[in-house]
């Protein structure tokens, strides 16, 4: 399993990360789940929706250098606006991004995905 870390202290502990890098996996995302342990990386992606979701979740939009452009909490039944500079999206349960220190300008490091993304 891959992991992600926020490159800036204080919260740079590894977080379990699922990677959705095929069209089918990105379409499925978190649909049908009651929750998520860790986070889900959608790549490539510029936006998400919460139609059919059972829970609110945090969304971090990342640029091609893996810097966080913005973080939002989305409730079920919403369609998020695409972020045109975004290349990746990370989804996690509501409140998780704040606990992990994911905020605008932070850099995300992904390890164990068959390649290291920095």
């Amino acid at each position: 399993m891959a992991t992600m870390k926020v490159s800036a202290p204080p919260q740079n502990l590894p977080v379990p990360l699922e990677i959705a890098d095929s069209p089918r996996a990105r379409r499925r995302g978190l649909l049908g789940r009651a929750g998520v342990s860790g986070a889900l990386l959608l790549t490539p992606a510029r936006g998400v929706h919460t139609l059919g979701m059972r829970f609110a979740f945090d969304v971090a939009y990342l640029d091609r250098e893996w810097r966080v452009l913005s973080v939002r909490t989305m409730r079920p039944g919403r369609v998020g606006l695409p972020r045109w500079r975004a290349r990746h999206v990370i989804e996690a349960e509501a409140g998780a991004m704040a606990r992990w220190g994911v905020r605008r300008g932070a850099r995300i490091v992904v390890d164990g995905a068959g390649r290291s993304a920095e």
Side-chain angles (χ1 to χ4, degrees), residues 10-78:
Q11 303 296 331
N12 60 354
L13 300 172
V15 174
L17 183 68
E18 284 183 59
I19 299 177
D21 57 1
S22 71
R24 182 178 179 168
R26 287 191 306 271
R27 270 192 310 272
R28 175 124 172 101
L30 296 176
L31 284 173
R33 299 188 194 191
V36 60
S37 67
L40 175 68
L41 170 66
L42 306 170
T43 185
R46 290 191 166 132
V48 297
H49 67 82
T50 61
L51 303 174
M53 300 300 294
R54 299 178 184 174
F55 58 98
F57 60 89
D58 289 344
V59 178
Y61 299 91
L62 312 176
D63 67 13
R64 62 180 77 231
E65 281 83 37
W66 298 88
R67 289 215 183 270
V68 178
L69 299 171
S70 66
V71 178
R72 300 283 182 262
T73 300
M74 293 182 67
R75 295 182 316 207
R78 306 283 188 239

Side-chain angles (χ1 to χ4, degrees), residues 4 17 39-41 58-60 62 88-92 97 108:
M4 75 166 212
L17 183 68
L40 175 68
L41 170 66
D58 289 344
V59 178
L62 312 176
H88 318 280
V89 174
I90 297 177
E91 300 176 341
M97 299 288 183
I108 303 298

Side-chain angles (χ1 to χ4, degrees), residues 91-107:
E91 300 176 341
E93 284 193 14
M97 299 288 183
R99 285 193 310 274
W100 300 332
V102 177
R103 64 189 178 285
R104 184 184 171 106
R107 190 148 186 246

